[in-house]
Amino acid sequence: MNTWKRLLLAALLLSALGGLFVHEDATSDARFPYPEPHELAADYDSHVGETALIFGTVAAVDGSELVIESESEGVTVTLRVTGASAAVESGGVVQVYGELRPERAILAKSIVVVNDSGGAEWYKYGVSVVGALGFLVVFRRQWRLDRETWTLEARNG
Amino acid sequence: MADLLTHLLVAFALGTIASWRVDWLTHRWVVVGVGGAAIPDLVKVDIVLDADAVSAALGVPFSFEPLSTLGGVLIVAGLITLAFERDHWRRVHGLAVTGGVLSLVAALSFATVVVAADRHLVADE
């Protein structure tokens, strides 16, 4: 298998991947049955009574209620979350499933905490970088790049 | 989705256990499977290269989400495979896909929420 054939195969796979990237975004609305934040921001009242699944950042915690901000297509909508509480701080990220009520409130049936605070997100990024660096160190101990053929080959035979 | 380190460690632990039983599965090959486990996390490239910005620049819809699906894992594992010697291709692809699928399963807690939500919707109607 020469380098040109490998590059051609890589180009084919990359085009297929690019096709998936475009196809996913072009069809995602049809596969997500809930109103999106930019639709709620544009005309909230027409969606009252509908069920929604909102991914949002916690802007404030007010007693048992949360205030969340959710963004799509560059538009942010702010919603009050009532009916259920979650152990989360301002800056955290939650998924809220529930019914849209008047005055931009969502009556939650379920809240799932993604990050319980803004710091939790940075912690995830931090340990992910540690994981990536650790992997590279371990990988390089086992495999080396042959610069003549531009392939990875096992170290020590 | 859990963090990358968790995905790598889960794959490393399971790969190491499997290597006790499978002769050819040496540490060198376990590492390849661990690399595959990182594939679904590539979806986070969105943090440095915003998909909406790419979409605006190219003028077409664009999302990195497929990296965190079976189709994306199969294709990226194929790209990884091409970097290895021809003799190793079958084994590398199998291991990278296995690692990637492991991480997708680890991310299922999220999918379960969506499915549960859909059932609610049906029940409401």
Side-chain angles (χ1 to χ4, degrees), chain B residues 76-97:
Chain B
V76 177
L79 287 165
I80 292 170
T81 301
L82 289 176
F84 286 79
E85 292 175 274
R86 178 68 186 89
D87 297 346
H88 298 324
W89 279 10
R90 186 182 288 248
R91 189 175 281 186
V92 168
H93 195 253
L95 285 168
V97 169

Side-chain angles (χ1 to χ4, degrees), chain A residues 29-69:
Chain A
D29 285 352
R31 284 180 281 105
F32 192 72
Y34 310 108
E36 293 186 63
H38 68 277
E39 294 166 337
L40 295 178
D43 183 9
Y44 185 87
D45 292 342
S46 71
H47 293 286
V48 168
E50 288 181 21
T51 300
L53 176 63
I54 304 284
F55 296 63
T57 304
V58 178
V61 181
D62 181 12
S64 63
E65 289 186 11
L66 302 175
V67 178
I68 63 168
E69 289 175 345

Side-chain angles (χ1 to χ4, degrees), chain A residues 29-149:
Chain A
D29 285 352
R31 284 180 281 105
F32 192 72
Y34 310 108
E36 293 186 63
H38 68 277
E39 294 166 337
L40 295 178
D43 183 9
Y44 185 87
D45 292 342
S46 71
H47 293 286
V48 168
E50 288 181 21
T51 300
L53 176 63
I54 304 284
F55 296 63
T57 304
V58 178
V61 181
D62 181 12
S64 63
E65 289 186 11
L66 302 175
V67 178
I68 63 168
E69 289 175 345
S70 185
E71 184 268 345
S72 68
E73 314 263 326
V75 181
T76 301
V77 67
T78 303
L79 299 168
R80 268 187 316 119
V81 181
T82 63
S85 60
V88 63
E89 294 173 21
S90 182
V93 175
V94 290
Q95 301 172 21
V96 180
Y97 175 77
E99 186 190 332
L100 296 170
R101 311 288 300 199
E103 296 179 5
R104 306 208 168 194
I106 178 165
L107 181 61
K109 287 178 183 159
S110 172
I111 302 177
V112 174
V113 177
V114 180
N115 298 320
D116 59 10
S117 66
E121 190 171 6
W122 288 106
Y123 168 78
K124 273 189 194 176
Y125 293 159
V127 294
S128 293
V129 169
V130 169
L133 293 176
F135 171 77
L136 286 178
V137 168
V138 174
F139 188 86
R140 278 178 53 89
R141 274 208 209 141
Q142 300 294 329
W143 300 90
R144 59 180 287 272
L145 184 66
D146 180 338
R147 289 186 191 277
E148 301 236 323
T149 58

Side-chain angles (χ1 to χ4, degrees), chain B:
Chain B
M1 184 178 279
D3 56 84
L4 174 63
L5 183 62
T6 305
H7 290 155
L8 297 177
L9 291 177
V10 167
F12 188 73
L14 292 177
T16 302
I17 292 168
S19 72
W20 298 338
R21 290 295 182 104
V22 183
D23 284 343
W24 62 263
L25 191 62
T26 54
H27 184 60
R28 169 179 300 154
W29 294 110
V30 170
V31 169
V32 173
V34 170
I39 296 173
D41 287 281
L42 291 176
V43 73
K44 292 293 180 195
V45 70
D46 196 52
I47 296 168
V48 285
L49 186 61
D50 185 51
D52 288 339
V54 176
S55 176
L58 298 179
V60 290
F62 198 87
S63 159
F64 289 113
E65 289 298 322
L67 287 168
S68 201
T69 66
L70 181 59
V73 166
L74 287 171
I75 293 176
V76 177
L79 287 165
I80 292 170
T81 301
L82 289 176
F84 286 79
E85 292 175 274
R86 178 68 186 89
D87 297 346
H88 298 324
W89 279 10
R90 186 182 288 248
R91 189 175 281 186
V92 168
H93 195 253
L95 285 168
V97 169
T98 305
V101 168
L102 263 178
S103 292
L104 290 178
V105 171
L108 268 183
S109 52
F110 159 71
T112 313
V113 172
V114 177
V115 171
D118 270 330
R119 289 198 181 133
H120 267 297
L121 188 66
V122 172
D124 285 349
E125 287 165 359

